[in-house]
Amino acid sequence: MDKELSEKGLLRLQWAEAHMHVLRSIRERMKKERPLEGVRIGMALHTEAKTGMLAITLKDAGAEIRLASCNPLSTDDSVALALRKNYGLEVYAKKGETQEEYYENLNKVIDFHPDFVIDDGADLIVELHSRRRDALGNVKGANEETTTGVMRLRSMAEGGRLEFPVMAVNDAKMKFLFDNRYGTGQSALDGWMTATNLLIAGKRVVVAGYGWCGKGVASRAKGMGASVIVTEVDPIRAIEAKMDGFEVMPMAEAVKAADIVFTVTGCKDIVGPEHIALMKDGCVLGNSGHFDNEIDRRYLEEVAVSRRKVRDAVTEYLLGDGRKIYLIAEGRLMNLAAGQGHPVEIMDMSFAIQALCTEHLVKNHTSMLNGVHPVPKEIDEMVARLKLQSMGVSIDKLTEEQRRYLEGWEQGT
Ligand code: ADE
């Protein structure tokens, strides 16, 4: 059974490897140069095949690795096993961790006393700055993968509470323009469709949040034939949504007609009791935000007269008035809890940035102040050029004269 599972995980890793051209070329270079020789890296990332390829890349670059998941539901057990058995990696993660097990596993990464940390959502970094200050002094720097994590860390830094430099991987153009938009756009719908086996076409879909992730989900849902309503609190994003062709209105109006509600805000309390009261029978709720606090699951648990699992990742709540409301993957991010995470080619770019930022941190941490740092433009551009190359796309170059024209200020002819 273990053998079958690890073989499945190995195949998944090999499939990811075959489609991660950018990361593969970085790995080939790092294997020769060994820029991370002897460095201990503690990782808290969604433990699935693409993440596995990042861990293998860092190991081949000379690092010692310990990996836990950054979400109790997102681990691919076959991959976790294959990483242990076939690559000798220390992995502390399983699908369906309790909250206690989740923190136990994060703490196993901390027990390793990492020199550098790679986090997704900042739980590991927050744990180091609160309950595990004993291991904080050893950490020289970190990378943060996601919007929510970068927001938390900026807030720590503003309060003078962040005690090492962190690279905001999320904010690299080659990350958020693709991972957040096209990655979340595809994987949120993948998770929803795998969980439900229901149709998107012809449905009224409410997308809460029109950041890069919300933009991706709204555009993919529209592309599949849904009528999409966007809800927002930011007036500029609301106009963007309107001019992209979506209806825009407050949640309390939008939910009345909704067949499907997707939350993608990174904020809490997006779908609460007042909205659930207005929903149609059969409405299906799914979250793609990092944390499970966007949809009020606790309220559904409290008011439902009964609840039952109707599919692997769908819970049905029967309300007192006879309506049934469905929730995907307990309100945890459905991309990974019910689907397979972002497409491989997308994570190729995100994790190429992660690998290069790790190398950058190891080389430069002594001159970096505690706080949140942008990803250097050269890293973004290197990943873009490698990606274009892997796609077989070539582009034009500025002539010397054009470059001078763009850099000058006199009127040109
Ligand atoms: N796979 C690994 N990390 C991921 C992430 N942050 N989002 C989606 N899929 C992923």
Coordinates of all heavy atoms in Angstrom, one line a residue, residues 312-382:
D312 N -16.9 13.9 -1.2 CA -15.6 13.9 -0.5 C -15.3 15.3 0.1 O -14.9 15.5 1.2 CB -14.4 13.6 -1.4 CG -14.3 12.1 -1.6 OD1 -15.1 11.3 -1.0 OD2 -13.6 11.7 -2.5
A313 N -15.6 16.3 -0.7 CA -15.3 17.7 -0.3 C -16.5 18.6 -0.3 O -16.3 19.8 -0.5 CB -14.1 18.3 -1.1
V314 N -17.7 18.1 -0.1 CA -18.9 18.9 0.0 C -19.7 18.6 1.2 O -20.1 17.4 1.4 CB -19.8 18.7 -1.3 CG1 -21.0 19.7 -1.2 CG2 -19.0 18.9 -2.6
T315 N -19.9 19.6 2.0 CA -20.8 19.4 3.2 C -22.2 20.1 2.9 O -22.2 21.2 2.4 CB -20.2 20.0 4.5 OG1 -18.9 19.5 4.6 CG2 -21.0 19.7 5.7
E316 N -23.2 19.3 3.2 CA -24.6 19.9 3.0 C -25.1 20.3 4.4 O -25.1 19.6 5.3 CB -25.5 18.8 2.5 CG -27.0 19.2 2.3 CD -27.8 18.0 2.0 OE1 -28.0 17.7 0.8 OE2 -28.3 17.3 3.0
Y317 N -25.6 21.6 4.5 CA -26.2 22.1 5.7 C -27.7 22.2 5.4 O -28.1 23.0 4.5 CB -25.6 23.4 6.1 CG -24.1 23.3 6.5 CD1 -23.1 23.5 5.6 CD2 -23.8 23.0 7.8 CE1 -21.8 23.4 5.9 CE2 -22.4 22.8 8.2 CZ -21.4 23.0 7.2 OH -20.1 22.9 7.6
L318 N -28.5 21.5 6.2 CA -30.0 21.7 6.1 C -30.4 22.7 7.1 O -30.2 22.5 8.3 CB -30.7 20.4 6.3 CG -32.2 20.4 6.3 CD1 -32.8 20.9 5.0 CD2 -32.7 19.0 6.7
L319 N -31.0 23.8 6.6 CA -31.4 24.9 7.5 C -32.8 24.7 8.0 O -33.6 23.9 7.4 CB -31.2 26.3 6.8 CG -29.8 26.6 6.3 CD1 -29.8 28.0 5.7 CD2 -28.8 26.4 7.4
G320 N -33.2 25.4 9.0 CA -34.5 25.2 9.6 C -35.7 25.4 8.7 O -36.8 24.8 8.8
D321 N -35.5 26.3 7.7 CA -36.5 26.7 6.7 C -36.6 25.7 5.5 O -37.3 26.0 4.6 CB -36.4 28.1 6.3 CG -35.1 28.4 5.7 OD1 -34.3 27.5 5.4 OD2 -34.7 29.6 5.5
G322 N -35.7 24.7 5.6 CA -35.8 23.7 4.5 C -34.7 23.9 3.4 O -34.5 23.1 2.6
R323 N -34.1 25.1 3.4 CA -33.0 25.3 2.4 C -31.8 24.5 2.7 O -31.5 24.2 3.9 CB -32.6 26.8 2.4 CG -33.6 27.7 1.7 CD -33.1 29.2 1.8 NE -32.9 29.5 3.2 CZ -31.9 30.3 3.6 NH1 -31.1 30.9 2.8 NH2 -31.8 30.6 4.9
K324 N -31.1 24.1 1.6 CA -29.8 23.4 1.8 C -28.7 24.3 1.2 O -28.9 24.8 0.1 CB -29.9 22.1 1.0 CG -30.8 21.0 1.7 CD -30.9 19.8 0.8 CE -31.8 18.8 1.4 NZ -32.3 17.8 0.4
I325 N -27.7 24.5 2.0 CA -26.6 25.2 1.6 C -25.3 24.3 1.6 O -25.2 23.5 2.5 CB -26.3 26.4 2.5 CG1 -27.5 27.3 2.6 CG2 -25.1 27.2 2.1 CD1 -27.9 28.1 1.4
Y326 N -24.5 24.4 0.5 CA -23.4 23.5 0.4 C -22.1 24.3 0.6 O -21.9 25.4 0.1 CB -23.4 22.8 -1.0 CG -24.6 22.0 -1.1 CD1 -25.8 22.5 -1.8 CD2 -24.7 20.7 -0.6 CE1 -26.9 21.7 -2.0 CE2 -25.9 20.0 -0.7 CZ -27.0 20.5 -1.4 OH -28.1 19.7 -1.5
L327 N -21.1 23.6 1.3 CA -19.8 24.3 1.5 C -18.7 23.3 1.0 O -18.7 22.1 1.4 CB -19.7 24.6 3.0 CG -18.3 25.2 3.4 CD1 -18.2 26.6 2.8 CD2 -18.2 25.3 4.9
I328 N -17.8 23.9 0.2 CA -16.7 23.1 -0.3 C -15.5 23.1 0.7 O -15.1 24.1 1.2 CB -16.1 23.7 -1.6 CG1 -17.2 24.0 -2.6 CG2 -15.0 22.9 -2.2 CD1 -17.9 22.8 -3.2
A329 N -15.0 21.9 1.0 CA -13.7 21.7 1.7 C -13.7 22.5 3.0 O -12.7 23.1 3.4 CB -12.5 22.1 0.9
E330 N -14.8 22.5 3.7 CA -14.9 23.2 5.1 C -14.6 24.6 5.0 O -14.2 25.2 6.0 CB -14.0 22.4 6.1 CG -14.4 21.0 6.3 CD -13.3 20.2 6.9 OE1 -12.4 20.8 7.6 OE2 -13.3 18.9 6.8
G331 N -14.7 25.2 3.9 CA -14.3 26.7 3.7 C -12.9 26.9 3.6 O -12.4 28.1 3.7
R332 N -12.1 25.9 3.5 CA -10.6 26.1 3.3 C -10.3 26.2 1.8 O -11.2 25.9 1.0 CB -9.8 24.9 3.9 CG -10.0 24.8 5.4 CD -8.8 23.9 6.0 NE -9.0 23.8 7.4 CZ -8.5 24.6 8.3 NH1 -7.8 25.6 7.9 NH2 -8.7 24.4 9.6
L333 N -9.2 26.8 1.5 CA -9.0 27.1 0.1 C -9.1 25.9 -0.8 O -8.4 24.9 -0.7 CB -7.6 27.9 -0.1 CG -6.3 27.2 -0.4 CD1 -5.3 28.2 -0.7 CD2 -5.9 26.4 0.8
M334 N -10.2 26.0 -1.6 CA -10.6 24.9 -2.4 C -9.7 24.5 -3.5 O -9.7 23.3 -3.9 CB -12.0 25.1 -3.0 CG -12.1 26.2 -3.9 SD -13.8 26.6 -4.3 CE -13.6 28.3 -4.9
N335 N -8.8 25.4 -3.9 CA -7.8 25.1 -4.9 C -7.0 23.9 -4.6 O -6.7 23.1 -5.5 CB -6.8 26.3 -5.1 CG -7.4 27.6 -5.0 OD1 -8.2 27.9 -4.1 ND2 -7.1 28.5 -5.9
L336 N -6.6 23.8 -3.3 CA -5.8 22.7 -2.9 C -6.5 21.7 -2.1 O -6.2 20.5 -2.1 CB -4.6 23.3 -2.1 CG -3.5 23.9 -3.0 CD1 -3.0 25.2 -2.5 CD2 -2.4 22.9 -3.3
A337 N -7.5 22.2 -1.3 CA -8.2 21.2 -0.4 C -9.1 20.4 -1.2 O -9.4 19.2 -0.8 CB -9.0 22.0 0.6
A338 N -9.6 20.8 -2.4 CA -10.5 20.0 -3.2 C -9.9 19.8 -4.6 O -10.3 18.9 -5.3 CB -11.8 20.7 -3.3
G339 N -8.9 20.6 -5.0 CA -8.3 20.5 -6.3 C -6.8 20.1 -6.2 O -6.3 19.7 -5.2
Q340 N -6.1 20.4 -7.3 CA -4.7 20.0 -7.3 C -3.7 21.2 -7.2 O -2.5 21.0 -7.5 CB -4.4 19.3 -8.6 CG -5.4 18.2 -9.0 CD -5.2 17.8 -10.4 OE1 -4.2 17.2 -10.7 NE2 -6.1 18.1 -11.2
G341 N -4.2 22.3 -6.7 CA -3.3 23.5 -6.6 C -3.2 24.1 -8.0 O -3.8 23.7 -9.0
H342 N -2.4 25.2 -8.0 CA -2.2 25.9 -9.3 C -1.5 25.0 -10.3 O -0.8 24.0 -10.0 CB -1.3 27.1 -9.1 CG -1.9 28.2 -8.2 ND1 -3.2 28.2 -7.8 CD2 -1.3 29.3 -7.8 CE1 -3.4 29.2 -7.1 NE2 -2.3 29.9 -7.1
P343 N -1.8 25.2 -11.6 CA -1.2 24.4 -12.7 C 0.3 24.5 -12.6 O 0.9 25.4 -12.1 CB -1.6 25.2 -13.9 CG -2.9 25.9 -13.6 CD -2.7 26.3 -12.1
V344 N 0.9 23.4 -13.0 CA 2.4 23.2 -12.9 C 3.2 24.3 -13.5 O 4.1 24.8 -12.9 CB 2.8 21.8 -13.6 CG1 4.3 21.6 -13.4 CG2 2.0 20.7 -13.0
E345 N 2.8 24.7 -14.7 CA 3.6 25.8 -15.4 C 3.6 27.1 -14.7 O 4.5 27.9 -14.8 CB 3.1 26.0 -16.9 CG 3.1 24.8 -17.7 CD 1.7 24.1 -17.7 OE1 1.1 23.9 -16.7 OE2 1.3 23.6 -18.8
I346 N 2.5 27.3 -13.9 CA 2.4 28.6 -13.1 C 3.4 28.5 -11.9 O 4.1 29.4 -11.7 CB 0.9 28.8 -12.6 CG1 0.0 29.1 -13.8 CG2 0.9 29.8 -11.5 CD1 0.1 30.5 -14.3
M347 N 3.3 27.3 -11.2 CA 4.2 27.2 -10.0 C 5.6 27.1 -10.5 O 6.5 27.4 -9.7 CB 3.8 25.9 -9.2 CG 2.4 26.0 -8.6 SD 2.0 27.6 -7.8 CE 3.1 27.6 -6.4
D348 N 5.9 26.8 -11.7 CA 7.3 26.8 -12.3 C 7.8 28.2 -12.1 O 9.0 28.4 -11.6 CB 7.2 26.4 -13.7 CG 8.6 26.3 -14.4 OD1 9.6 26.0 -13.6 OD2 8.7 26.4 -15.6
M349 N 7.0 29.2 -12.4 CA 7.5 30.6 -12.3 C 7.6 31.0 -10.8 O 8.6 31.6 -10.4 CB 6.6 31.5 -13.0 CG 6.5 31.2 -14.5 SD 5.5 32.4 -15.4 CE 3.9 31.8 -15.3
S350 N 6.5 30.7 -10.1 CA 6.5 31.1 -8.6 C 7.7 30.5 -7.9 O 8.4 31.2 -7.1 CB 5.2 30.7 -8.0 OG 4.1 31.2 -8.7
F351 N 7.9 29.2 -8.1 CA 9.0 28.6 -7.4 C 10.4 28.8 -7.9 O 11.4 28.7 -7.2 CB 8.7 27.1 -7.3 CG 7.6 26.8 -6.3 CD1 6.9 25.6 -6.3 CD2 7.2 27.7 -5.3 CE1 5.8 25.3 -5.4 CE2 6.2 27.5 -4.4 CZ 5.5 26.3 -4.4
A352 N 10.5 29.3 -9.2 CA 11.7 29.7 -9.7 C 12.1 31.0 -8.9 O 13.3 31.2 -8.5 CB 11.6 30.0 -11.2
I353 N 11.1 31.9 -8.7 CA 11.4 33.1 -7.9 C 11.8 32.7 -6.5 O 12.7 33.3 -6.0 CB 10.1 34.0 -7.9 CG1 9.6 34.4 -9.3 CG2 10.3 35.2 -6.9 CD1 10.1 35.7 -9.8
Q354 N 11.1 31.7 -5.9 CA 11.5 31.3 -4.6 C 12.9 30.8 -4.5 O 13.7 31.1 -3.6 CB 10.5 30.1 -4.1 CG 9.2 30.5 -3.7 CD 9.1 31.1 -2.3 OE1 10.2 31.4 -1.7 NE2 8.0 31.3 -1.8
A355 N 13.3 30.0 -5.5 CA 14.7 29.4 -5.5 C 15.7 30.5 -5.6 O 16.7 30.6 -4.9 CB 14.8 28.4 -6.6
L356 N 15.4 31.5 -6.5 CA 16.4 32.6 -6.7 C 16.4 33.5 -5.5 O 17.5 34.1 -5.2 CB 16.1 33.3 -8.0 CG 16.3 32.5 -9.3 CD1 15.8 33.3 -10.5 CD2 17.7 32.1 -9.5
C357 N 15.3 33.7 -4.9 CA 15.2 34.6 -3.7 C 16.0 34.0 -2.5 O 16.6 34.6 -1.7 CB 13.8 34.9 -3.3 SG 13.1 36.2 -4.3
T358 N 15.9 32.6 -2.4 CA 16.6 31.9 -1.4 C 18.1 32.2 -1.6 O 18.8 32.5 -0.6 CB 16.3 30.4 -1.4 OG1 14.9 30.3 -1.4 CG2 16.9 29.7 -0.2
E359 N 18.6 32.0 -2.8 CA 20.0 32.2 -3.1 C 20.4 33.7 -2.8 O 21.4 33.9 -2.2 CB 20.2 31.9 -4.6 CG 21.6 32.0 -5.0 CD 21.8 31.7 -6.6 OE1 20.8 32.0 -7.3 OE2 22.9 31.3 -6.9
H360 N 19.5 34.6 -3.2 CA 19.7 36.0 -2.9 C 19.9 36.3 -1.4 O 20.8 37.0 -1.0 CB 18.6 36.9 -3.5 CG 18.7 38.3 -3.3 ND1 19.4 39.2 -4.1 CD2 18.1 39.1 -2.3 CE1 19.4 40.4 -3.6 NE2 18.6 40.4 -2.5
L361 N 18.9 35.7 -0.6 CA 19.0 35.9 0.8 C 20.3 35.3 1.4 O 20.9 36.0 2.3 CB 17.8 35.1 1.5 CG 16.5 35.9 1.8 CD1 15.6 34.9 2.4 CD2 16.7 37.0 2.7
V362 N 20.6 34.2 1.0 CA 21.8 33.5 1.5 C 23.0 34.4 1.3 O 23.9 34.6 2.1 CB 22.0 32.1 1.0 CG1 23.3 31.5 1.4 CG2 20.8 31.2 1.5
K363 N 23.1 35.0 0.0 CA 24.3 35.8 -0.3 C 24.2 37.2 0.4 O 25.3 37.7 0.7 CB 24.3 36.0 -1.8 CG 24.8 34.8 -2.6 CD 25.1 35.2 -4.1 CE 25.5 34.0 -4.9 NZ 25.0 34.0 -6.2
N364 N 23.0 37.7 0.6 CA 22.9 39.1 0.9 C 22.3 39.5 2.3 O 22.2 40.6 2.7 CB 22.1 39.9 -0.1 CG 22.7 39.8 -1.5 OD1 23.8 40.3 -1.7 ND2 22.1 39.1 -2.4
H365 N 22.0 38.4 3.0 CA 21.2 38.7 4.3 C 21.9 39.6 5.2 O 21.3 40.4 6.0 CB 20.8 37.4 5.0 CG 21.9 36.6 5.5 ND1 22.3 36.8 6.8 CD2 22.7 35.7 5.0 CE1 23.4 36.0 7.1 NE2 23.6 35.3 6.0
T366 N 23.2 39.6 5.3 CA 24.0 40.4 6.3 C 23.8 41.9 6.0 O 23.9 42.7 6.9 CB 25.5 40.0 6.3 OG1 26.0 40.1 5.0 CG2 25.7 38.7 6.9
S367 N 23.5 42.2 4.8 CA 23.4 43.7 4.5 C 21.9 44.1 4.3 O 21.6 45.2 3.9 CB 24.1 44.0 3.2 OG 23.6 43.3 2.1
M368 N 21.0 43.1 4.7 CA 19.5 43.5 4.6 C 19.0 43.8 5.9 O 19.2 43.0 6.9 CB 18.8 42.3 3.9 CG 19.2 42.0 2.5 SD 18.6 40.5 1.8 CE 16.9 40.8 1.6
L369 N 18.2 44.9 6.0 CA 17.6 45.2 7.3 C 16.4 44.3 7.6 O 15.8 43.8 6.7 CB 17.1 46.7 7.2 CG 18.2 47.8 7.0 CD1 17.5 49.1 6.8 CD2 19.2 47.7 8.2
N370 N 16.1 44.2 8.8 CA 14.8 43.5 9.2 C 13.7 44.2 8.6 O 13.6 45.5 8.6 CB 14.6 43.5 10.7 CG 15.7 42.7 11.4 OD1 16.5 42.0 10.8 ND2 15.8 42.9 12.8
G371 N 12.8 43.5 7.9 CA 11.6 44.1 7.3 C 11.3 43.4 6.0 O 11.9 42.3 5.7
V372 N 10.3 43.9 5.3 CA 9.9 43.2 4.0 C 10.6 43.8 2.8 O 10.5 45.0 2.7 CB 8.3 43.3 3.9 CG1 7.8 42.6 2.6 CG2 7.6 42.7 5.1
H373 N 11.2 43.0 2.0 CA 12.0 43.5 0.9 C 11.4 43.1 -0.4 O 10.9 41.9 -0.6 CB 13.4 42.9 0.9 CG 14.2 43.4 2.1 ND1 15.2 44.3 2.0 CD2 14.1 43.0 3.4 CE1 15.7 44.5 3.2 NE2 15.0 43.8 4.1
P374 N 11.4 44.0 -1.4 CA 10.9 43.6 -2.8 C 11.9 42.6 -3.4 O 13.1 42.6 -3.1 CB 10.9 44.9 -3.5 CG 11.9 45.8 -2.9 CD 11.9 45.4 -1.4
V375 N 11.4 41.8 -4.3 CA 12.2 40.9 -5.1 C 13.0 41.8 -6.1 O 12.4 42.6 -6.8 CB 11.3 39.9 -5.8 CG1 12.1 39.0 -6.8 CG2 10.6 39.0 -4.8
P376 N 14.3 41.6 -6.2 CA 15.0 42.4 -7.2 C 14.5 42.2 -8.6 O 14.2 41.1 -9.0 CB 16.5 41.9 -7.1 CG 16.5 41.2 -5.7 CD 15.2 40.7 -5.4
K377 N 14.5 43.3 -9.4 CA 14.0 43.3 -10.8 C 14.8 42.3 -11.6 O 14.2 41.7 -12.5 CB 14.3 44.7 -11.3 CG 13.6 45.0 -12.6 CD 13.6 46.5 -12.9 CE 13.3 46.8 -14.3 NZ 14.2 47.6 -15.0
E378 N 16.1 42.1 -11.3 CA 16.9 41.2 -12.1 C 16.3 39.7 -12.0 O 16.4 39.0 -12.9 CB 18.3 41.1 -11.7 CG 19.1 42.5 -11.7 CD 18.7 43.4 -10.6 OE1 18.9 43.0 -9.4 OE2 18.1 44.5 -10.8
I379 N 15.8 39.4 -10.8 CA 15.3 38.0 -10.6 C 14.0 37.9 -11.4 O 13.8 36.9 -12.1 CB 15.0 37.8 -9.1 CG1 16.4 37.6 -8.4 CG2 14.2 36.5 -8.9 CD1 16.3 37.2 -6.9
D380 N 13.1 38.9 -11.3 CA 11.9 38.9 -12.1 C 12.2 38.7 -13.6 O 11.6 37.9 -14.3 CB 11.1 40.2 -11.9 CG 9.8 40.1 -11.2 OD1 9.3 38.9 -11.2 OD2 9.2 41.1 -10.8
E381 N 13.1 39.5 -14.1 CA 13.4 39.5 -15.5 C 14.1 38.2 -15.9 O 13.8 37.7 -17.0 CB 14.3 40.7 -15.9 CG 13.4 41.9 -16.0 CD 14.1 43.2 -16.5 OE1 15.3 43.1 -16.8 OE2 13.4 44.2 -16.6
M382 N 14.9 37.7 -15.0 CA 15.6 36.4 -15.4 C 14.5 35.3 -15.5 O 14.5 34.5 -16.5 CB 16.6 36.0 -14.3 CG 17.4 34.8 -14.7 SD 18.4 34.2 -13.3 CE 19.4 35.6 -13.1

